[in-house]
Amino acid sequence: MRIRTAGVVAVLGLALAASGCGGSGSDKPAAKESSKATGGKLVIWADDKRTAALKPFAEAFGKENGVTVEVQAVSKDLQTNFVTASQQGSGPDVVVGAHDWIGNLVQNGAIDPVQLAADQKSAFNEVAIKAVTFNGQLYGVPYATENVALIRNTELAPEAPKTIEELVETGKKLKAEKKASEILCLQSGQNGDAYHIYPLYTSGGGYLFGTAANGDYDPKDLGVGKPESIAAFQKIAKLGEKGDGALKRSITGENSIATFTGKKCAFLVSGPWAIADAKKADIKYDISPVPGFAGGKEAQPFVGVQAFYVAAKGQNKALAQEFVTNYVTKPDLAVALYQAEPRPPALTAAFDQVKGEDPDLAKFQEAGKNGQVLPAIPAMAAIWDPFGKAEAAIIGGADPATTITAAGKTIAGQIK
């Protein structure tokens, strides 16, 4: 594990306002009891990009509260390293990461619930709050939402395709005219990519988990290996290497965006993180929902949320609760995080503040408005590898029925 300290601040002797830790069911304001002890230390773990964006705000929080703040970059396997460090008592006070970590983190006793007042919760995108709620409790404070959409080069494809078949037709025409070398840039690689293929999987009728009466995902209702998933992958197979050639294992997470910005394909399925590269390459682009199969269901992308979590075994939990509940909820921090990496802010006031200068935000939000919240239940961890490898095999020409049925059995075995 490589950890780099991005910022350390120790100033002033102001009393710290610390919030109590509690469940999210209460509508009482986050508690703010003045601590008589001055000083203290807050350690925050994040990935490289977020570490750089957080540094000035961590410094400001330190100055305002008379504490030392360290923002440490964990460059690899952040979730795994956090769980391990938590169990060893050497972890941070706050960690920044994806909402689908929650089930695993709660199962390992690594994070505490956070308490937001009713007016604080209502200030966030409703889907974002839903994403960080697990077993009826709020476990994180969201700061950004994200989902994939179809990003297209408007010089090559002026009109947004209404179906995936229409997209393939346009892509083939561009290839025949030698204006592009690929029909579609949707990353798969040799191990597949469940996240990026998911819109097509849902359009084909597939699902991962059913839902319980309360709306939570039900790990006992596994959709992978069911007839719906076989039907979905039979459609996906027709787009693969032995079919239309729109889906290829040679398109990976490392080259999909670069292939698009290099004007080798007109269509890219990706998220807000791809836009900076498109702008840098001076690509004229537009954003629309990922199109589904003709006559199929709506293509539903996963909706992911980035959030701040309070470590259950941190050394300064009161300070962590204060930072997460009463500082992360400020629009200026949300705007700064957006400026560092343009993902739609989860805080409505911040979203409204930046949407006027960035029309892409509304387009990504529109593309994800009917998306599905990425499951945060622990069983989701069993999905990624078998599902992805089955996807890659099917794209390469393997039989959809036997391949996805086998993947379903592997996943079911891991969940049990």
PDB file of all heavy atoms in Angstrom, residues 174-210:
ATOM      1  N   LEU A 174     -19.515   4.241 -41.112  1.00  0.00           N
ATOM      2  CA  LEU A 174     -18.315   5.040 -40.909  1.00  0.00           C
ATOM      3  C   LEU A 174     -17.055   4.208 -41.141  1.00  0.00           C
ATOM      4  O   LEU A 174     -16.066   4.692 -41.695  1.00  0.00           O
ATOM      5  CB  LEU A 174     -18.306   5.631 -39.492  1.00  0.00           C
ATOM      6  CG  LEU A 174     -19.350   6.719 -39.223  1.00  0.00           C
ATOM      7  CD1 LEU A 174     -19.439   7.020 -37.730  1.00  0.00           C
ATOM      8  CD2 LEU A 174     -19.003   8.000 -39.997  1.00  0.00           C
ATOM      9  N   LYS A 175     -17.094   2.952 -40.749  1.00  0.00           N
ATOM     10  CA  LYS A 175     -15.952   2.061 -40.991  1.00  0.00           C
ATOM     11  C   LYS A 175     -15.768   1.823 -42.489  1.00  0.00           C
ATOM     12  O   LYS A 175     -14.643   1.871 -43.006  1.00  0.00           O
ATOM     13  CB  LYS A 175     -16.169   0.716 -40.279  1.00  0.00           C
ATOM     14  CG  LYS A 175     -15.799   0.703 -38.819  1.00  0.00           C
ATOM     15  CD  LYS A 175     -15.816  -0.712 -38.247  1.00  0.00           C
ATOM     16  CE  LYS A 175     -14.677  -1.548 -38.788  1.00  0.00           C
ATOM     17  NZ  LYS A 175     -14.617  -2.888 -38.171  1.00  0.00           N
ATOM     18  N   ALA A 176     -16.874   1.583 -43.169  1.00  0.00           N
ATOM     19  CA  ALA A 176     -16.810   1.332 -44.618  1.00  0.00           C
ATOM     20  C   ALA A 176     -16.250   2.541 -45.356  1.00  0.00           C
ATOM     21  O   ALA A 176     -15.529   2.404 -46.357  1.00  0.00           O
ATOM     22  CB  ALA A 176     -18.193   0.974 -45.146  1.00  0.00           C
ATOM     23  N   GLU A 177     -16.555   3.731 -44.837  1.00  0.00           N
ATOM     24  CA  GLU A 177     -16.071   4.971 -45.446  1.00  0.00           C
ATOM     25  C   GLU A 177     -14.678   5.350 -44.941  1.00  0.00           C
ATOM     26  O   GLU A 177     -14.167   6.413 -45.288  1.00  0.00           O
ATOM     27  CB  GLU A 177     -17.062   6.104 -45.152  1.00  0.00           C
ATOM     28  CG  GLU A 177     -18.429   5.909 -45.801  1.00  0.00           C
ATOM     29  CD  GLU A 177     -19.466   6.924 -45.309  1.00  0.00           C
ATOM     30  OE1 GLU A 177     -19.162   7.678 -44.353  1.00  0.00           O
ATOM     31  OE2 GLU A 177     -20.570   6.952 -45.885  1.00  0.00           O
ATOM     32  N   LYS A 178     -14.114   4.470 -44.083  1.00  0.00           N
ATOM     33  CA  LYS A 178     -12.783   4.691 -43.497  1.00  0.00           C
ATOM     34  C   LYS A 178     -12.705   5.979 -42.672  1.00  0.00           C
ATOM     35  O   LYS A 178     -11.640   6.591 -42.554  1.00  0.00           O
ATOM     36  CB  LYS A 178     -11.699   4.664 -44.581  1.00  0.00           C
ATOM     37  CG  LYS A 178     -11.665   3.350 -45.360  1.00  0.00           C
ATOM     38  CD  LYS A 178     -10.377   3.210 -46.137  1.00  0.00           C
ATOM     39  CE  LYS A 178     -10.331   1.920 -46.951  1.00  0.00           C
ATOM     40  NZ  LYS A 178     -10.667   0.723 -46.213  1.00  0.00           N
ATOM     41  N   LYS A 179     -13.846   6.351 -42.095  1.00  0.00           N
ATOM     42  CA  LYS A 179     -13.867   7.506 -41.190  1.00  0.00           C
ATOM     43  C   LYS A 179     -13.680   7.082 -39.740  1.00  0.00           C
ATOM     44  O   LYS A 179     -13.509   7.915 -38.846  1.00  0.00           O
ATOM     45  CB  LYS A 179     -15.192   8.262 -41.342  1.00  0.00           C
ATOM     46  CG  LYS A 179     -15.360   8.920 -42.700  1.00  0.00           C
ATOM     47  CD  LYS A 179     -16.708   9.636 -42.786  1.00  0.00           C
ATOM     48  CE  LYS A 179     -16.886  10.316 -44.147  1.00  0.00           C
ATOM     49  NZ  LYS A 179     -18.223  10.970 -44.264  1.00  0.00           N
ATOM     50  N   ALA A 180     -13.765   5.789 -39.490  1.00  0.00           N
ATOM     51  CA  ALA A 180     -13.566   5.233 -38.152  1.00  0.00           C
ATOM     52  C   ALA A 180     -13.054   3.810 -38.299  1.00  0.00           C
ATOM     53  O   ALA A 180     -13.261   3.155 -39.334  1.00  0.00           O
ATOM     54  CB  ALA A 180     -14.880   5.250 -37.362  1.00  0.00           C
ATOM     55  N   SER A 181     -12.360   3.323 -37.260  1.00  0.00           N
ATOM     56  CA  SER A 181     -11.864   1.940 -37.289  1.00  0.00           C
ATOM     57  C   SER A 181     -12.642   1.030 -36.343  1.00  0.00           C
ATOM     58  O   SER A 181     -12.502  -0.183 -36.403  1.00  0.00           O
ATOM     59  CB  SER A 181     -10.372   1.911 -36.930  1.00  0.00           C
ATOM     60  OG  SER A 181     -10.156   2.484 -35.646  1.00  0.00           O
ATOM     61  N   GLU A 182     -13.452   1.634 -35.484  1.00  0.00           N
ATOM     62  CA  GLU A 182     -14.276   0.867 -34.543  1.00  0.00           C
ATOM     63  C   GLU A 182     -15.721   1.349 -34.619  1.00  0.00           C
ATOM     64  O   GLU A 182     -15.976   2.539 -34.844  1.00  0.00           O
ATOM     65  CB  GLU A 182     -13.767   1.017 -33.100  1.00  0.00           C
ATOM     66  CG  GLU A 182     -12.327   0.595 -32.876  1.00  0.00           C
ATOM     67  CD  GLU A 182     -12.109  -0.891 -33.022  1.00  0.00           C
ATOM     68  OE1 GLU A 182     -13.099  -1.658 -33.039  1.00  0.00           O
ATOM     69  OE2 GLU A 182     -10.936  -1.314 -33.125  1.00  0.00           O
ATOM     70  N   ILE A 183     -16.652   0.428 -34.400  1.00  0.00           N
ATOM     71  CA  ILE A 183     -18.077   0.794 -34.391  1.00  0.00           C
ATOM     72  C   ILE A 183     -18.442   1.498 -33.104  1.00  0.00           C
ATOM     73  O   ILE A 183     -19.147   2.510 -33.088  1.00  0.00           O
ATOM     74  CB  ILE A 183     -18.951  -0.472 -34.565  1.00  0.00           C
ATOM     75  CG1 ILE A 183     -18.715  -1.096 -35.938  1.00  0.00           C
ATOM     76  CG2 ILE A 183     -20.440  -0.136 -34.376  1.00  0.00           C
ATOM     77  CD1 ILE A 183     -19.357  -2.474 -36.106  1.00  0.00           C
ATOM     78  N   LEU A 184     -17.939   0.962 -31.991  1.00  0.00           N
ATOM     79  CA  LEU A 184     -18.321   1.444 -30.662  1.00  0.00           C
ATOM     80  C   LEU A 184     -17.159   1.240 -29.701  1.00  0.00           C
ATOM     81  O   LEU A 184     -16.501   0.203 -29.714  1.00  0.00           O
ATOM     82  CB  LEU A 184     -19.545   0.658 -30.170  1.00  0.00           C
ATOM     83  CG  LEU A 184     -19.982   0.825 -28.710  1.00  0.00           C
ATOM     84  CD1 LEU A 184     -20.450   2.256 -28.439  1.00  0.00           C
ATOM     85  CD2 LEU A 184     -21.100  -0.170 -28.367  1.00  0.00           C
ATOM     86  N   CYS A 185     -16.934   2.228 -28.854  1.00  0.00           N
ATOM     87  CA  CYS A 185     -15.945   2.090 -27.783  1.00  0.00           C
ATOM     88  C   CYS A 185     -16.691   1.857 -26.467  1.00  0.00           C
ATOM     89  O   CYS A 185     -17.140   2.811 -25.811  1.00  0.00           O
ATOM     90  CB  CYS A 185     -15.075   3.343 -27.690  1.00  0.00           C
ATOM     91  SG  CYS A 185     -13.879   3.480 -29.032  1.00  0.00           S
ATOM     92  N   LEU A 186     -16.855   0.598 -26.127  1.00  0.00           N
ATOM     93  CA  LEU A 186     -17.446   0.200 -24.851  1.00  0.00           C
ATOM     94  C   LEU A 186     -16.482  -0.799 -24.232  1.00  0.00           C
ATOM     95  O   LEU A 186     -16.301  -1.894 -24.749  1.00  0.00           O
ATOM     96  CB  LEU A 186     -18.829  -0.421 -25.042  1.00  0.00           C
ATOM     97  CG  LEU A 186     -19.658  -0.695 -23.773  1.00  0.00           C
ATOM     98  CD1 LEU A 186     -21.153  -0.741 -24.099  1.00  0.00           C
ATOM     99  CD2 LEU A 186     -19.255  -1.992 -23.077  1.00  0.00           C
ATOM    100  N   GLN A 187     -15.833  -0.408 -23.157  1.00  0.00           N
ATOM    101  CA  GLN A 187     -14.736  -1.204 -22.635  1.00  0.00           C
ATOM    102  C   GLN A 187     -15.180  -2.571 -22.113  1.00  0.00           C
ATOM    103  O   GLN A 187     -16.193  -2.715 -21.454  1.00  0.00           O
ATOM    104  CB  GLN A 187     -13.994  -0.441 -21.537  1.00  0.00           C
ATOM    105  CG  GLN A 187     -14.790  -0.162 -20.276  1.00  0.00           C
ATOM    106  CD  GLN A 187     -14.034   0.780 -19.349  1.00  0.00           C
ATOM    107  OE1 GLN A 187     -13.761   1.932 -19.713  1.00  0.00           O
ATOM    108  NE2 GLN A 187     -13.691   0.302 -18.165  1.00  0.00           N
ATOM    109  N   SER A 188     -14.356  -3.574 -22.476  1.00  0.00           N
ATOM    110  CA  SER A 188     -14.582  -4.933 -22.022  1.00  0.00           C
ATOM    111  C   SER A 188     -13.267  -5.541 -21.547  1.00  0.00           C
ATOM    112  O   SER A 188     -13.116  -5.891 -20.393  1.00  0.00           O
ATOM    113  CB  SER A 188     -15.181  -5.796 -23.136  1.00  0.00           C
ATOM    114  OG  SER A 188     -15.096  -7.165 -22.809  1.00  0.00           O
ATOM    115  N   GLY A 189     -12.304  -5.633 -22.467  1.00  0.00           N
ATOM    116  CA  GLY A 189     -11.058  -6.286 -22.129  1.00  0.00           C
ATOM    117  C   GLY A 189     -11.245  -7.795 -22.003  1.00  0.00           C
ATOM    118  O   GLY A 189     -12.326  -8.328 -22.272  1.00  0.00           O
ATOM    119  N   GLN A 190     -10.231  -8.480 -21.566  1.00  0.00           N
ATOM    120  CA  GLN A 190     -10.270  -9.936 -21.459  1.00  0.00           C
ATOM    121  C   GLN A 190     -11.101 -10.408 -20.266  1.00  0.00           C
ATOM    122  O   GLN A 190     -11.531 -11.558 -20.220  1.00  0.00           O
ATOM    123  CB  GLN A 190      -8.845 -10.487 -21.348  1.00  0.00           C
ATOM    124  CG  GLN A 190      -7.993 -10.256 -22.577  1.00  0.00           C
ATOM    125  CD  GLN A 190      -8.583 -10.895 -23.837  1.00  0.00           C
ATOM    126  OE1 GLN A 190      -9.077 -12.021 -23.799  1.00  0.00           O
ATOM    127  NE2 GLN A 190      -8.526 -10.174 -24.954  1.00  0.00           N
ATOM    128  N   ASN A 191     -11.332  -9.520 -19.297  1.00  0.00           N
ATOM    129  CA  ASN A 191     -12.081  -9.897 -18.098  1.00  0.00           C
ATOM    130  C   ASN A 191     -13.475  -9.289 -18.039  1.00  0.00           C
ATOM    131  O   ASN A 191     -14.179  -9.435 -17.041  1.00  0.00           O
ATOM    132  CB  ASN A 191     -11.293  -9.503 -16.843  1.00  0.00           C
ATOM    133  CG  ASN A 191     -10.032 -10.320 -16.681  1.00  0.00           C
ATOM    134  OD1 ASN A 191     -10.040 -11.532 -16.865  1.00  0.00           O
ATOM    135  ND2 ASN A 191      -8.932  -9.651 -16.364  1.00  0.00           N
ATOM    136  N   GLY A 192     -13.877  -8.606 -19.110  1.00  0.00           N
ATOM    137  CA  GLY A 192     -15.214  -8.011 -19.134  1.00  0.00           C
ATOM    138  C   GLY A 192     -15.317  -6.794 -18.229  1.00  0.00           C
ATOM    139  O   GLY A 192     -14.378  -6.422 -17.524  1.00  0.00           O
ATOM    140  N   ASP A 193     -16.476  -6.174 -18.245  1.00  0.00           N
ATOM    141  CA  ASP A 193     -16.715  -4.977 -17.434  1.00  0.00           C
ATOM    142  C   ASP A 193     -18.214  -4.861 -17.200  1.00  0.00           C
ATOM    143  O   ASP A 193     -18.948  -4.303 -18.011  1.00  0.00           O
ATOM    144  CB  ASP A 193     -16.174  -3.740 -18.163  1.00  0.00           C
ATOM    145  CG  ASP A 193     -16.200  -2.493 -17.291  1.00  0.00           C
ATOM    146  OD1 ASP A 193     -17.264  -2.203 -16.715  1.00  0.00           O
ATOM    147  OD2 ASP A 193     -15.158  -1.822 -17.195  1.00  0.00           O
ATOM    148  N   ALA A 194     -18.661  -5.402 -16.074  1.00  0.00           N
ATOM    149  CA  ALA A 194     -20.094  -5.429 -15.767  1.00  0.00           C
ATOM    150  C   ALA A 194     -20.699  -4.033 -15.696  1.00  0.00           C
ATOM    151  O   ALA A 194     -21.857  -3.829 -16.073  1.00  0.00           O
ATOM    152  CB  ALA A 194     -20.330  -6.167 -14.446  1.00  0.00           C
ATOM    153  N   TYR A 195     -19.913  -3.074 -15.239  1.00  0.00           N
ATOM    154  CA  TYR A 195     -20.416  -1.708 -15.071  1.00  0.00           C
ATOM    155  C   TYR A 195     -20.801  -1.088 -16.419  1.00  0.00           C
ATOM    156  O   TYR A 195     -21.871  -0.499 -16.561  1.00  0.00           O
ATOM    157  CB  TYR A 195     -19.351  -0.854 -14.383  1.00  0.00           C
ATOM    158  CG  TYR A 195     -19.782   0.563 -14.079  1.00  0.00           C
ATOM    159  CD1 TYR A 195     -20.548   0.857 -12.961  1.00  0.00           C
ATOM    160  CD2 TYR A 195     -19.406   1.618 -14.911  1.00  0.00           C
ATOM    161  CE1 TYR A 195     -20.934   2.155 -12.677  1.00  0.00           C
ATOM    162  CE2 TYR A 195     -19.791   2.922 -14.636  1.00  0.00           C
ATOM    163  CZ  TYR A 195     -20.555   3.177 -13.523  1.00  0.00           C
ATOM    164  OH  TYR A 195     -20.948   4.468 -13.248  1.00  0.00           O
ATOM    165  N   HIS A 196     -19.937  -1.238 -17.399  1.00  0.00           N
ATOM    166  CA  HIS A 196     -20.188  -0.582 -18.681  1.00  0.00           C
ATOM    167  C   HIS A 196     -21.181  -1.341 -19.570  1.00  0.00           C
ATOM    168  O   HIS A 196     -21.868  -0.726 -20.385  1.00  0.00           O
ATOM    169  CB  HIS A 196     -18.865  -0.355 -19.427  1.00  0.00           C
ATOM    170  CG  HIS A 196     -18.058   0.782 -18.883  1.00  0.00           C
ATOM    171  ND1 HIS A 196     -17.266   0.653 -17.765  1.00  0.00           N
ATOM    172  CD2 HIS A 196     -17.944   2.078 -19.284  1.00  0.00           C
ATOM    173  CE1 HIS A 196     -16.695   1.829 -17.502  1.00  0.00           C
ATOM    174  NE2 HIS A 196     -17.083   2.700 -18.405  1.00  0.00           N
ATOM    175  N   ILE A 197     -21.255  -2.655 -19.419  1.00  0.00           N
ATOM    176  CA  ILE A 197     -22.191  -3.430 -20.251  1.00  0.00           C
ATOM    177  C   ILE A 197     -23.604  -3.399 -19.664  1.00  0.00           C
ATOM    178  O   ILE A 197     -24.573  -3.770 -20.354  1.00  0.00           O
ATOM    179  CB  ILE A 197     -21.711  -4.901 -20.388  1.00  0.00           C
ATOM    180  CG1 ILE A 197     -22.367  -5.584 -21.612  1.00  0.00           C
ATOM    181  CG2 ILE A 197     -22.009  -5.709 -19.138  1.00  0.00           C
ATOM    182  CD1 ILE A 197     -21.943  -5.050 -22.935  1.00  0.00           C
ATOM    183  N   TYR A 198     -23.748  -2.954 -18.429  1.00  0.00           N
ATOM    184  CA  TYR A 198     -25.020  -3.086 -17.729  1.00  0.00           C
ATOM    185  C   TYR A 198     -26.212  -2.456 -18.452  1.00  0.00           C
ATOM    186  O   TYR A 198     -27.297  -3.043 -18.467  1.00  0.00           O
ATOM    187  CB  TYR A 198     -24.914  -2.527 -16.301  1.00  0.00           C
ATOM    188  CG  TYR A 198     -26.062  -2.959 -15.424  1.00  0.00           C
ATOM    189  CD1 TYR A 198     -26.198  -4.285 -15.016  1.00  0.00           C
ATOM    190  CD2 TYR A 198     -27.035  -2.049 -15.014  1.00  0.00           C
ATOM    191  CE1 TYR A 198     -27.256  -4.701 -14.222  1.00  0.00           C
ATOM    192  CE2 TYR A 198     -28.099  -2.451 -14.218  1.00  0.00           C
ATOM    193  CZ  TYR A 198     -28.199  -3.774 -13.830  1.00  0.00           C
ATOM    194  OH  TYR A 198     -29.262  -4.180 -13.050  1.00  0.00           O
ATOM    195  N   PRO A 199     -26.082  -1.281 -19.080  1.00  0.00           N
ATOM    196  CA  PRO A 199     -27.244  -0.735 -19.797  1.00  0.00           C
ATOM    197  C   PRO A 199     -27.785  -1.683 -20.866  1.00  0.00           C
ATOM    198  O   PRO A 199     -29.004  -1.832 -21.016  1.00  0.00           O
ATOM    199  CB  PRO A 199     -26.709   0.566 -20.414  1.00  0.00           C
ATOM    200  CG  PRO A 199     -25.577   0.956 -19.540  1.00  0.00           C
ATOM    201  CD  PRO A 199     -24.945  -0.336 -19.104  1.00  0.00           C
ATOM    202  N   LEU A 200     -26.894  -2.333 -21.608  1.00  0.00           N
ATOM    203  CA  LEU A 200     -27.339  -3.276 -22.640  1.00  0.00           C
ATOM    204  C   LEU A 200     -27.910  -4.546 -22.014  1.00  0.00           C
ATOM    205  O   LEU A 200     -28.868  -5.130 -22.528  1.00  0.00           O
ATOM    206  CB  LEU A 200     -26.189  -3.613 -23.586  1.00  0.00           C
ATOM    207  CG  LEU A 200     -25.677  -2.450 -24.457  1.00  0.00           C
ATOM    208  CD1 LEU A 200     -24.532  -2.909 -25.340  1.00  0.00           C
ATOM    209  CD2 LEU A 200     -26.806  -1.872 -25.296  1.00  0.00           C
ATOM    210  N   TYR A 201     -27.341  -4.959 -20.902  1.00  0.00           N
ATOM    211  CA  TYR A 201     -27.844  -6.139 -20.186  1.00  0.00           C
ATOM    212  C   TYR A 201     -29.280  -5.902 -19.714  1.00  0.00           C
ATOM    213  O   TYR A 201     -30.144  -6.770 -19.871  1.00  0.00           O
ATOM    214  CB  TYR A 201     -26.916  -6.422 -19.007  1.00  0.00           C
ATOM    215  CG  TYR A 201     -27.318  -7.583 -18.122  1.00  0.00           C
ATOM    216  CD1 TYR A 201     -27.287  -8.892 -18.592  1.00  0.00           C
ATOM    217  CD2 TYR A 201     -27.691  -7.362 -16.800  1.00  0.00           C
ATOM    218  CE1 TYR A 201     -27.632  -9.960 -17.758  1.00  0.00           C
ATOM    219  CE2 TYR A 201     -28.029  -8.420 -15.965  1.00  0.00           C
ATOM    220  CZ  TYR A 201     -28.001  -9.715 -16.449  1.00  0.00           C
ATOM    221  OH  TYR A 201     -28.351 -10.765 -15.620  1.00  0.00           O
ATOM    222  N   THR A 202     -29.555  -4.719 -19.178  1.00  0.00           N
ATOM    223  CA  THR A 202     -30.917  -4.432 -18.711  1.00  0.00           C
ATOM    224  C   THR A 202     -31.876  -4.268 -19.881  1.00  0.00           C
ATOM    225  O   THR A 202     -33.030  -4.690 -19.808  1.00  0.00           O
ATOM    226  CB  THR A 202     -30.957  -3.156 -17.843  1.00  0.00           C
ATOM    227  OG1 THR A 202     -30.423  -2.051 -18.578  1.00  0.00           O
ATOM    228  CG2 THR A 202     -30.156  -3.339 -16.566  1.00  0.00           C
ATOM    229  N   SER A 203     -31.397  -3.677 -20.973  1.00  0.00           N
ATOM    230  CA  SER A 203     -32.264  -3.521 -22.141  1.00  0.00           C
ATOM    231  C   SER A 203     -32.658  -4.878 -22.708  1.00  0.00           C
ATOM    232  O   SER A 203     -33.773  -5.065 -23.205  1.00  0.00           O
ATOM    233  CB  SER A 203     -31.572  -2.687 -23.220  1.00  0.00           C
ATOM    234  OG  SER A 203     -32.403  -2.561 -24.362  1.00  0.00           O
ATOM    235  N   GLY A 204     -31.743  -5.829 -22.598  1.00  0.00           N
ATOM    236  CA  GLY A 204     -32.037  -7.183 -23.053  1.00  0.00           C
ATOM    237  C   GLY A 204     -32.910  -7.966 -22.101  1.00  0.00           C
ATOM    238  O   GLY A 204     -33.281  -9.110 -22.392  1.00  0.00           O
ATOM    239  N   GLY A 205     -33.229  -7.376 -20.947  1.00  0.00           N
ATOM    240  CA  GLY A 205     -34.119  -8.017 -19.977  1.00  0.00           C
ATOM    241  C   GLY A 205     -33.441  -8.618 -18.770  1.00  0.00           C
ATOM    242  O   GLY A 205     -34.103  -9.179 -17.889  1.00  0.00           O
ATOM    243  N   GLY A 206     -32.111  -8.514 -18.690  1.00  0.00           N
ATOM    244  CA  GLY A 206     -31.391  -9.104 -17.571  1.00  0.00           C
ATOM    245  C   GLY A 206     -31.452  -8.257 -16.313  1.00  0.00           C
ATOM    246  O   GLY A 206     -31.689  -7.051 -16.362  1.00  0.00           O
ATOM    247  N   TYR A 207     -31.231  -8.907 -15.174  1.00  0.00           N
ATOM    248  CA  TYR A 207     -31.128  -8.191 -13.900  1.00  0.00           C
ATOM    249  C   TYR A 207     -30.108  -8.913 -13.021  1.00  0.00           C
ATOM    250  O   TYR A 207     -29.772 -10.076 -13.250  1.00  0.00           O
ATOM    251  CB  TYR A 207     -32.486  -8.080 -13.207  1.00  0.00           C
ATOM    252  CG  TYR A 207     -33.039  -9.377 -12.618  1.00  0.00           C
ATOM    253  CD1 TYR A 207     -32.902  -9.661 -11.266  1.00  0.00           C
ATOM    254  CD2 TYR A 207     -33.705 -10.314 -13.420  1.00  0.00           C
ATOM    255  CE1 TYR A 207     -33.413 -10.839 -10.722  1.00  0.00           C
ATOM    256  CE2 TYR A 207     -34.217 -11.489 -12.888  1.00  0.00           C
ATOM    257  CZ  TYR A 207     -34.070 -11.743 -11.530  1.00  0.00           C
ATOM    258  OH  TYR A 207     -34.570 -12.916 -10.994  1.00  0.00           O
ATOM    259  N   LEU A 208     -29.602  -8.212 -12.020  1.00  0.00           N
ATOM    260  CA  LEU A 208     -28.639  -8.818 -11.097  1.00  0.00           C
ATOM    261  C   LEU A 208     -29.325  -9.389  -9.868  1.00  0.00           C
ATOM    262  O   LEU A 208     -29.179 -10.552  -9.535  1.00  0.00           O
ATOM    263  CB  LEU A 208     -27.588  -7.786 -10.666  1.00  0.00           C
ATOM    264  CG  LEU A 208     -26.650  -7.275 -11.750  1.00  0.00           C
ATOM    265  CD1 LEU A 208     -25.611  -6.340 -11.149  1.00  0.00           C
ATOM    266  CD2 LEU A 208     -25.961  -8.425 -12.475  1.00  0.00           C
ATOM    267  N   PHE A 209     -30.065  -8.520  -9.158  1.00  0.00           N
ATOM    268  CA  PHE A 209     -30.796  -8.939  -7.972  1.00  0.00           C
ATOM    269  C   PHE A 209     -32.223  -8.409  -8.047  1.00  0.00           C
ATOM    270  O   PHE A 209     -32.460  -7.296  -8.524  1.00  0.00           O
ATOM    271  CB  PHE A 209     -30.154  -8.376  -6.692  1.00  0.00           C
ATOM    272  CG  PHE A 209     -28.740  -8.828  -6.462  1.00  0.00           C
ATOM    273  CD1 PHE A 209     -27.668  -7.972  -6.660  1.00  0.00           C
ATOM    274  CD2 PHE A 209     -28.463 -10.126  -6.039  1.00  0.00           C
ATOM    275  CE1 PHE A 209     -26.366  -8.375  -6.453  1.00  0.00           C
ATOM    276  CE2 PHE A 209     -27.162 -10.551  -5.823  1.00  0.00           C
ATOM    277  CZ  PHE A 209     -26.105  -9.675  -6.033  1.00  0.00           C
ATOM    278  N   GLY A 210     -33.162  -9.207  -7.549  1.00  0.00           N
ATOM    279  CA  GLY A 210     -34.522  -8.722  -7.398  1.00  0.00           C
ATOM    280  C   GLY A 210     -34.572  -7.777  -6.206  1.00  0.00           C
ATOM    281  O   GLY A 210     -33.564  -7.525  -5.540  1.00  0.00           O
TER     282      GLY A 210
END
